[in-house]
């Protein structure tokens, strides 16, 4: 039997894990330097992004209180339950490009009186404004997440943003505070993060770095948080992928700032896309597309190094966070789906793309203290798909669930012996590893076998910690383009995985193109 067929047969029969005896070539040695703990992996790197785009919010989250789909105050219960299970730390809303055309007053007050507006960025559809400020904050409360709002810098004013923040956060009976109470929320809301514009170098107004910086100073001054129960981090627009002009301009302005304004973070946007417009198919792709998208994903590490180095020049104490508040695979749209809705299937390849990105963020944990995958439901690299009353969890969702133990855990450096996956002109490490220690002292390891045809035999050496074995889950699939559908919702789902110690080393066999997360015992 060829190696490919053996690997496939094993993936099909679920024989990976303890007791699996198929010999893999190139045994790989992983060393976890448990005695050299690094920074905390901020739970906010597992943030979500919900833009008014396609079916991301309407249908994906909001069905309205009169819907036959089970809901709580209009917010669908199945989606809330699924998101609670992955402990979403924050949700970024209302955009994206949409945020720079959003006027918050359209989305408050009685829903039947709210104006219908347009959503020119995304299909030119009607925006009913039935999901507005109170609905969003109800939603994040239901899932137990923090609110990350983006204010409109592109087509709004600093006065509009200042009013929104006063409306949201003041505990005092000002006119805006009273208006909020009259609209059903007497207590001030907690706003943990505030994005000051979105892609101001592009859809957010095509601003030069200097022009944006002048806007930033004004908005950062007047869009105030009045709620003493919640500190609010202000996130400036930062770089588009590898472009460094915004990184330099914002950091230089921050370094020379006066008492009158401040920020706590800058954002980076980078999608796994290879070239625009996105043309890579979400399913039915071959190994060429598999390898090149994984390789493109790993460019994130170069970008993090580039922008972190610039930030270090201006801010060696690492006060300012780098927040990668848009990331993920951007693929060709699902055939037949509406233009501008950015609907795409989500396969085992997406699971690997998610794990690779999260691992890169964790390796930069001292600076990357927030990230938001694009996007949460029905859009781009989604966690969840809905179709009327039906819901399905994607392979990417399962990675976020497997990675919950890494939230706020302490990063542990790892060394991996040289072993490569090569395809055409792409060369990648065979296995991508990330480890951390949680607050109870348990050590967690994530291992992704990037090779789509060969299982990987791995021996793990844990310096500074004793292990008798390891237990966790593995996410593998029969094909790299395997997906979950409404008819077959569990085609790609995690399965239990155990590993035993032999000769002082933890031995494990990783399925081709799999993501495995285990805790040492
Ligand atoms: O996530 C889709 C879009 O991608 C966002 O609206 C925008 O910020 C980015 O260009």
């Amino acid at each position: 039997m060829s190696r490919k067929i053996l690997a496939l047969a094993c993936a099909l029969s679920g024989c990976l894990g303890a007791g699996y005896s198929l010999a893999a070539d190139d045994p790989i040695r992983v060393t976890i330097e448990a005695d050299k703990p690094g920074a905390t992996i901020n739970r906010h790197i597992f943030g979500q992004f919900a833009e008014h785009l396609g079916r991301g919010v309407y249908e994906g989250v909001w069905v309205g209180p009169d819907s036959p789909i089970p809901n709580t105050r209009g917010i669908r219960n199945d989606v809330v339950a699924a998101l609670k299970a992955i402990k979403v730390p924050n949700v970024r809303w209302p955009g994206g490009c949409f945020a720079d055309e959003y006027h918050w007053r359209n989305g408050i007050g009685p829903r039947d009186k709210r104006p219908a507006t347009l959503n020119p960025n995304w299909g030119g559809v009607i925006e009913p404004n039935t999901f507005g400020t109170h609905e969003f904050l109800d939603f994040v409360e239901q899932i137990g997440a923090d609110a990350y709002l983006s204010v409109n810098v592109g087509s709004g004013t600093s006065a509009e943003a200042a009013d929104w923040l006063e409306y949201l956060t003041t505990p005092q009976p000002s006119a805006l505070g009273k208006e909020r109470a009259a609209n059903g929320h007497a207590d001030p809301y907690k706003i943990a993060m505030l994005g000051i514009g979105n892609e101001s170098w592009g859809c957010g107004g095509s601003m030069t770095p200097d022009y944006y910086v002048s806007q930033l100073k004004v908005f950062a001054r007047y869009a105030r948080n009045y709620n003493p129960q919640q500190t609010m981090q202000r996130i400036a627009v930062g770089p588009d992928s590898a472009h460094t002009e915004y990184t330099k301009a914002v950091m230089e302005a921050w370094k020379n700032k006066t008492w009158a304004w401040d920020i706590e973070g800058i954002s980076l946007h980078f999608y796994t896309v290879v070239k625009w417009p996105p043309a890579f198919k979400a399913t039915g792709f071959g190994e060429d597309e598999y390898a090149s998208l994984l390789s493109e994903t790993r460019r994130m590490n170069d970008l993090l190094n580039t922008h972190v180095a610039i930030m270090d020049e201006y801010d060696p104490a690492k006060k300012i966070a780098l927040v990668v508040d848009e990331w993920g695979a951007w693929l060709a749209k699902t055939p037949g789906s509406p233009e501008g809705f950015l609907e795409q299937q989500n396969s085992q390849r997406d699971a690997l793309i998610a794990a690779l990105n999260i691992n890169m963020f964790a390796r930069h944990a001292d600076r990357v203290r927030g990230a938001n995958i694009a996007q949460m439901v029905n859009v781009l690299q989604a966690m969840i798909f809905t179709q009327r009353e039906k819901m399905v969890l994607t392979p990417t969702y399962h990675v976020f669930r497997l990675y919950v133990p890494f939230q706020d855990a302490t990063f542990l450096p790892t060394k991996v012996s040289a072993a490569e996956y090569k395809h055409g002109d792409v060369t990648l490490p065979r296995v991508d590893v990330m480890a951390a220690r949680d607050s109870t002292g348990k050590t967690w390891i994530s291992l992704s076998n990037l090779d789509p045809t060969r299982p990987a035999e791995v021996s793990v050496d844990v310096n500074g910690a004793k292990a008798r074995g390891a237990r966790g889950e593995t996410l593998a699939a029969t094909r790299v383009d395997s997906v979950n559908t409404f008819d077959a919702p569990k085609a790609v789902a995690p399965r239990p995985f155990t590993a035993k110690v032999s000769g002082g080393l933890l031995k494990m066999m990783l399925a081709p193109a799999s993501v495995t997360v285990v805790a040492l015992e």
Side-chain angles (χ1 to χ4, degrees):
M1 213 187 293
S2 76
R3 189 189 286 151
K4 268 189 195 182
I5 295 170
L6 270 172
L8 184 64
C10 195
L12 277 167
S13 61
C15 60
L16 297 168
Y20 173 55
S21 61
L22 171 64
D25 44 9
D26 308 336
I28 295 162
R29 177 77 168 244
V30 172
T31 306
I32 301 176
E33 304 193 295
D35 50 349
K36 294 183 186 154
T40 299
I41 301 169
N42 197 308
R43 69 194 167 92
H44 286 289
I45 69 166
F46 297 91
Q48 297 289 332
F49 174 30
E51 180 165 13
H52 286 233
L53 192 176
R55 298 183 303 117
V57 168
Y58 296 109
E59 186 189 315
V61 172
W62 178 257
V63 288
D66 301 329
S67 170
I69 298 169
N71 69 83
T72 301
R73 296 180 292 280
I75 294 162
R76 52 190 303 163
N77 294 343
D78 52 358
V79 168
V80 166
L83 293 172
K84 276 171 93 166
I86 56 171
K87 296 194 188 302
V88 175
N90 73 79
V91 182
R92 180 170 180 252
W93 176 86
C97 299
F98 180 83
D100 278 302
E101 295 192 74
Y102 184 61
H103 300 286
W104 68 275
R105 280 205 161 276
N106 292 335
I108 58 166
R111 278 192 286 272
D112 58 355
K113 302 246 171 358
R114 296 186 194 171
T117 53
L118 293 175
N119 190 340
N121 286 295
W122 306 120
V125 296
I126 290 285
E127 164 57 51
N129 285 300
T130 41
F131 189 86
T133 297
H134 291 258
E135 291 78 12
F136 170 68
L137 288 153
D138 187 9
F139 166 64
V140 288
E141 195 178 324
Q142 287 189 35
I143 65 169
D146 283 347
Y148 178 3
L149 291 185
S150 283
V151 291
N152 180 346
V153 173
S155 69
T157 63
S158 55
E160 183 185 12
D163 281 356
W164 197 14
L165 268 290
E166 183 185 328
Y167 176 88
L168 287 159
T169 63
T170 183
Q172 305 218 61
S174 70
L176 285 162
K178 282 188 191 166
E179 190 179 359
R180 182 194 66 235
N183 284 332
H185 208 272
D187 290 336
Y189 285 114
K190 294 178 180 171
I191 306 300
M193 296 163 86
L194 188 78
I196 301 181
N198 170 76
E199 297 192 355
S200 302
W201 32 261
C203 68
S206 299
M207 297 174 190
T208 62
D210 286 349
Y211 183 76
Y212 173 71
V213 163
S214 65
Q215 296 291 299
L216 170 66
K217 291 176 183 174
V218 175
F219 277 73
R221 168 92 184 122
Y222 298 114
R224 292 185 171 100
N225 169 40
Y226 294 97
N227 186 345
Q229 293 180 313
Q230 174 75 61
T231 54
M232 183 180 81
Q233 303 208 326
R234 288 152 294 186
I235 314 298
V237 171
D240 165 18
S241 308
H243 298 276
T244 54
E245 301 85 351
Y246 262 65
T247 323
K248 287 180 185 153
V250 171
M251 290 306 296
E252 186 166 350
W254 176 79
K255 192 177 175 196
N256 298 311
K257 76 183 166 60
T258 66
W259 61 270
W261 70 281
D262 207 347
I263 53 170
E264 287 75 29
I266 70 170
S267 84
L268 161 66
H269 288 185
F270 175 63
Y271 286 93
T272 295
V273 71
V274 182
K275 68 176 186 204
W276 296 92
F280 276 63
K281 287 193 286 181
T283 55
F285 51 81
E287 196 168 343
D288 286 356
E289 295 96 321
Y290 170 84
S292 81
L293 267 202
L294 257 51
S295 173
E296 175 72 3
T297 300
R298 282 167 45 83
R299 267 188 67 212
M300 176 69 87
N301 205 49
D302 301 336
L303 302 186
L304 296 179
N305 287 336
T306 299
H307 297 298
V308 165
I310 294 168
M311 293 175 77
D312 284 349
E313 276 174 39
Y314 296 98
D315 172 29
K318 296 189 188 287
K319 289 185 179 158
I320 302 293
L322 183 58
V323 179
V324 190
D325 56 16
E326 288 188 28
W327 66 270
W330 193 324
L331 307 171
K333 79 179 185 76
T334 301
S337 63
E339 285 301 329
F341 276 31
L342 310 189
E343 296 191 6
Q344 64 190 43
Q345 246 302 356
N346 193 294
S347 71
Q348 180 69 9
R349 181 180 62 185
D350 292 85
L352 288 158
I353 289 172
L356 283 174
N357 273 299
I358 297 167
N359 294 351
M360 290 184 280
F361 302 151
R363 289 182 198 116
H364 289 88
D366 58 350
R367 180 69 85 174
V368 178
R369 300 196 288 266
N372 299 75
I373 187 168
Q375 298 194 3
M376 190 172 68
V377 189
N378 292 332
V379 176
L380 297 176
Q381 190 175 345
M383 306 295 111
I384 295 171
F385 296 140
T386 62
Q387 189 182 72
R388 296 175 188 273
E389 75 290 352
K390 294 185 196 159
M391 180 191 83
V392 69
L393 306 176
T394 66
T396 300
Y397 173 92
H398 291 306
V399 170
F400 273 70
R401 221 258 298 131
L402 292 182
Y403 270 72
V404 165
F406 291 102
Q407 294 198 13
D408 287 337
T410 303
F411 179 78
L412 298 176
T414 51
K415 284 187 189 148
V416 184
S417 65
E420 290 171 341
Y421 158 59
K422 283 180 192 274
H423 179 77
D425 54 6
V426 169
T427 301
L428 302 172
R430 276 279 292 287
V431 175
D432 196 73
V433 181
M434 198 268 283
R437 185 179 297 131
D438 72 15
S439 59
T440 69
K442 212 180 238 189
T443 299
W444 292 85
I445 318 169
S446 163
L447 306 105
S448 298
N449 178 6
L450 305 187
D451 194 312
T453 58
R454 288 186 296 170
E457 187 182 355
V458 177
S459 302
V460 183
D461 183 2
V462 187
N463 280 348
K466 282 217 159 58
R468 282 171 287 113
R471 187 178 298 275
E473 290 175 271
T474 190
L475 186 69
T478 54
R479 300 163 53 97
V480 285
D481 69 344
S482 291
V483 299
N484 290 333
T485 63
F486 296 105
D487 294 331
K490 295 200 171 145
V492 186
R495 291 173 309 185
F497 184 96
T498 54
K500 292 198 173 118
V501 169
S502 158
L505 297 172
L506 198 57
K507 302 279 187 183
M508 44 182 99
M509 189 71 82
L510 308 173
S514 62
V515 180
T516 303
V517 174
V518 291
L520 297 188
E521 299 186 316

